[in-house]
Amino acid sequence: MSEVPLTLTTGDGVRLRGRHLPAESDLAIVIAHGFSGSCNSPRARHIAATLHRFGAVVAFDFRGHGNSEGVSTVGDLEVHDIEAAVAFARSRGHSTVAVAGFSMGAAVAVRHAALFGGLTAVAAVSGPAHWYYRGTPSMRLVHRAIEGRWGRAVARWTRRTRISAVGWDPPPSPPWELVHKIAPTPLLIVHGTADRYFPLRHAHALYESAADPRALWIEPGMGHAESSMTPALVRRLGAWLREPSVPPVSPPA
């Protein structure tokens, strides 16, 4: 079946644009992209096409990104965006819905699963454990884009990302504080050893704060999020989302 253009309306009234890849399957996989990303990028399309082998796919642009309306709150109100995609999948008759999030989308996927529940599996790829991390040059650049007027203007012009000029008040609970609430839904944490945004300690912090059932895949040589997902890793991810009882890879010491 070919993909279908999609418009979603969130619980707080933001219209999102996306794509639906239908399938005659009990499973639907919701894909949550990273900050300044889009479901229409070539890499995101490749990931969606590969995951489509395992079930239906719902891919969308977060608020403030691409063709969606609103402004990005960088991980706070975006939980409503995922919930809108999950509700759409259920309305199409899929009895099981899993979420795969990347980078910012991984943080939102963790927070959504903890706050809303009702999923069959959650995968967080290259996600942060806590907010305000500036320990790498890449993240210092991200903070410049988020916090400064000129940085937000550049993000809007070059990345089609509209960032809220109003800071968090109060800050939302970070992923590591909420991740234990995901249980008994299976959780998979995927992180690369060459991630230039978030070092491995973020993955370990999430894993150690989570409750079983949980799995941790440390991928040697992998970089950050969608841009570093190999076809083989996407297939492994799809297989886990379809059968999350697959024995996890033991985390290294």
PDB file of all heavy atoms in Angstrom, residues 73-86:
ATOM      1  N   THR A  73       8.633  23.269  21.584  1.00  0.00           N
ATOM      2  CA  THR A  73       8.974  23.478  22.989  1.00  0.00           C
ATOM      3  C   THR A  73      10.096  22.531  23.413  1.00  0.00           C
ATOM      4  O   THR A  73      10.362  22.364  24.601  1.00  0.00           O
ATOM      5  CB  THR A  73       7.752  23.286  23.902  1.00  0.00           C
ATOM      6  OG1 THR A  73       7.280  21.934  23.814  1.00  0.00           O
ATOM      7  CG2 THR A  73       6.630  24.235  23.511  1.00  0.00           C
ATOM      8  N   VAL A  74      10.739  21.906  22.433  1.00  0.00           N
ATOM      9  CA  VAL A  74      11.970  21.126  22.618  1.00  0.00           C
ATOM     10  C   VAL A  74      11.796  20.032  23.677  1.00  0.00           C
ATOM     11  O   VAL A  74      12.638  19.862  24.558  1.00  0.00           O
ATOM     12  CB  VAL A  74      13.178  22.039  22.957  1.00  0.00           C
ATOM     13  CG1 VAL A  74      14.490  21.303  22.650  1.00  0.00           C
ATOM     14  CG2 VAL A  74      13.145  23.336  22.170  1.00  0.00           C
ATOM     15  N   GLY A  75      10.685  19.306  23.591  1.00  0.00           N
ATOM     16  CA  GLY A  75      10.521  18.124  24.428  1.00  0.00           C
ATOM     17  C   GLY A  75       9.445  18.204  25.482  1.00  0.00           C
ATOM     18  O   GLY A  75       9.170  17.211  26.158  1.00  0.00           O
ATOM     19  N   ASP A  76       8.806  19.352  25.647  1.00  0.00           N
ATOM     20  CA  ASP A  76       7.781  19.514  26.680  1.00  0.00           C
ATOM     21  C   ASP A  76       6.398  19.143  26.137  1.00  0.00           C
ATOM     22  O   ASP A  76       5.916  18.019  26.340  1.00  0.00           O
ATOM     23  CB  ASP A  76       7.811  20.950  27.199  1.00  0.00           C
ATOM     24  CG  ASP A  76       6.824  21.193  28.339  1.00  0.00           C
ATOM     25  OD1 ASP A  76       6.200  20.227  28.820  1.00  0.00           O
ATOM     26  OD2 ASP A  76       6.685  22.359  28.765  1.00  0.00           O
ATOM     27  N   LEU A  77       5.750  20.065  25.425  1.00  0.00           N
ATOM     28  CA  LEU A  77       4.389  19.837  24.941  1.00  0.00           C
ATOM     29  C   LEU A  77       4.324  18.830  23.807  1.00  0.00           C
ATOM     30  O   LEU A  77       3.235  18.391  23.415  1.00  0.00           O
ATOM     31  CB  LEU A  77       3.768  21.162  24.503  1.00  0.00           C
ATOM     32  CG  LEU A  77       3.637  22.220  25.599  1.00  0.00           C
ATOM     33  CD1 LEU A  77       3.009  23.492  25.039  1.00  0.00           C
ATOM     34  CD2 LEU A  77       2.824  21.697  26.776  1.00  0.00           C
ATOM     35  N   GLU A  78       5.471  18.422  23.300  1.00  0.00           N
ATOM     36  CA  GLU A  78       5.496  17.439  22.204  1.00  0.00           C
ATOM     37  C   GLU A  78       4.916  16.085  22.593  1.00  0.00           C
ATOM     38  O   GLU A  78       4.622  15.265  21.716  1.00  0.00           O
ATOM     39  CB  GLU A  78       6.925  17.275  21.694  1.00  0.00           C
ATOM     40  CG  GLU A  78       7.423  18.408  20.805  1.00  0.00           C
ATOM     41  CD  GLU A  78       7.823  19.655  21.556  1.00  0.00           C
ATOM     42  OE1 GLU A  78       7.826  19.627  22.807  1.00  0.00           O
ATOM     43  OE2 GLU A  78       8.143  20.668  20.898  1.00  0.00           O
ATOM     44  N   VAL A  79       4.728  15.838  23.896  1.00  0.00           N
ATOM     45  CA  VAL A  79       4.063  14.588  24.279  1.00  0.00           C
ATOM     46  C   VAL A  79       2.658  14.520  23.682  1.00  0.00           C
ATOM     47  O   VAL A  79       2.163  13.430  23.356  1.00  0.00           O
ATOM     48  CB  VAL A  79       3.999  14.424  25.813  1.00  0.00           C
ATOM     49  CG1 VAL A  79       5.403  14.223  26.394  1.00  0.00           C
ATOM     50  CG2 VAL A  79       3.298  15.599  26.483  1.00  0.00           C
ATOM     51  N   HIS A  80       2.008  15.672  23.504  1.00  0.00           N
ATOM     52  CA  HIS A  80       0.682  15.692  22.889  1.00  0.00           C
ATOM     53  C   HIS A  80       0.751  15.315  21.408  1.00  0.00           C
ATOM     54  O   HIS A  80      -0.213  14.763  20.856  1.00  0.00           O
ATOM     55  CB  HIS A  80       0.047  17.069  23.048  1.00  0.00           C
ATOM     56  CG  HIS A  80      -0.142  17.486  24.471  1.00  0.00           C
ATOM     57  ND1 HIS A  80      -0.985  16.825  25.340  1.00  0.00           N
ATOM     58  CD2 HIS A  80       0.425  18.491  25.194  1.00  0.00           C
ATOM     59  CE1 HIS A  80      -0.953  17.406  26.530  1.00  0.00           C
ATOM     60  NE2 HIS A  80      -0.095  18.416  26.466  1.00  0.00           N
ATOM     61  N   ASP A  81       1.881  15.620  20.776  1.00  0.00           N
ATOM     62  CA  ASP A  81       2.046  15.268  19.364  1.00  0.00           C
ATOM     63  C   ASP A  81       2.086  13.748  19.190  1.00  0.00           C
ATOM     64  O   ASP A  81       1.434  13.182  18.307  1.00  0.00           O
ATOM     65  CB  ASP A  81       3.331  15.890  18.808  1.00  0.00           C
ATOM     66  CG  ASP A  81       3.361  17.405  18.954  1.00  0.00           C
ATOM     67  OD1 ASP A  81       2.369  17.987  19.431  1.00  0.00           O
ATOM     68  OD2 ASP A  81       4.389  18.009  18.591  1.00  0.00           O
ATOM     69  N   ILE A  82       2.874  13.086  20.044  1.00  0.00           N
ATOM     70  CA  ILE A  82       2.930  11.622  19.964  1.00  0.00           C
ATOM     71  C   ILE A  82       1.575  11.023  20.300  1.00  0.00           C
ATOM     72  O   ILE A  82       1.116  10.070  19.641  1.00  0.00           O
ATOM     73  CB  ILE A  82       4.029  11.071  20.885  1.00  0.00           C
ATOM     74  CG1 ILE A  82       5.412  11.416  20.324  1.00  0.00           C
ATOM     75  CG2 ILE A  82       3.889   9.553  21.055  1.00  0.00           C
ATOM     76  CD1 ILE A  82       6.568  10.827  21.114  1.00  0.00           C
ATOM     77  N   GLU A  83       0.896  11.562  21.295  1.00  0.00           N
ATOM     78  CA  GLU A  83      -0.411  11.015  21.664  1.00  0.00           C
ATOM     79  C   GLU A  83      -1.399  11.136  20.513  1.00  0.00           C
ATOM     80  O   GLU A  83      -2.214  10.230  20.282  1.00  0.00           O
ATOM     81  CB  GLU A  83      -0.947  11.719  22.904  1.00  0.00           C
ATOM     82  CG  GLU A  83      -2.305  11.233  23.371  1.00  0.00           C
ATOM     83  CD  GLU A  83      -2.348   9.757  23.763  1.00  0.00           C
ATOM     84  OE1 GLU A  83      -1.264   9.141  23.930  1.00  0.00           O
ATOM     85  OE2 GLU A  83      -3.463   9.217  23.886  1.00  0.00           O
ATOM     86  N   ALA A  84      -1.336  12.227  19.749  1.00  0.00           N
ATOM     87  CA  ALA A  84      -2.217  12.376  18.589  1.00  0.00           C
ATOM     88  C   ALA A  84      -1.922  11.305  17.545  1.00  0.00           C
ATOM     89  O   ALA A  84      -2.846  10.748  16.933  1.00  0.00           O
ATOM     90  CB  ALA A  84      -2.061  13.770  17.983  1.00  0.00           C
ATOM     91  N   ALA A  85      -0.639  10.998  17.333  1.00  0.00           N
ATOM     92  CA  ALA A  85      -0.270   9.957  16.370  1.00  0.00           C
ATOM     93  C   ALA A  85      -0.701   8.581  16.861  1.00  0.00           C
ATOM     94  O   ALA A  85      -1.170   7.742  16.072  1.00  0.00           O
ATOM     95  CB  ALA A  85       1.239   9.991  16.126  1.00  0.00           C
ATOM     96  N   VAL A  86      -0.546   8.326  18.146  1.00  0.00           N
ATOM     97  CA  VAL A  86      -0.979   7.044  18.723  1.00  0.00           C
ATOM     98  C   VAL A  86      -2.489   6.891  18.587  1.00  0.00           C
ATOM     99  O   VAL A  86      -2.996   5.819  18.209  1.00  0.00           O
ATOM    100  CB  VAL A  86      -0.538   6.944  20.193  1.00  0.00           C
ATOM    101  CG1 VAL A  86      -1.193   5.750  20.882  1.00  0.00           C
ATOM    102  CG2 VAL A  86       0.983   6.847  20.292  1.00  0.00           C
TER     103      VAL A  86
END
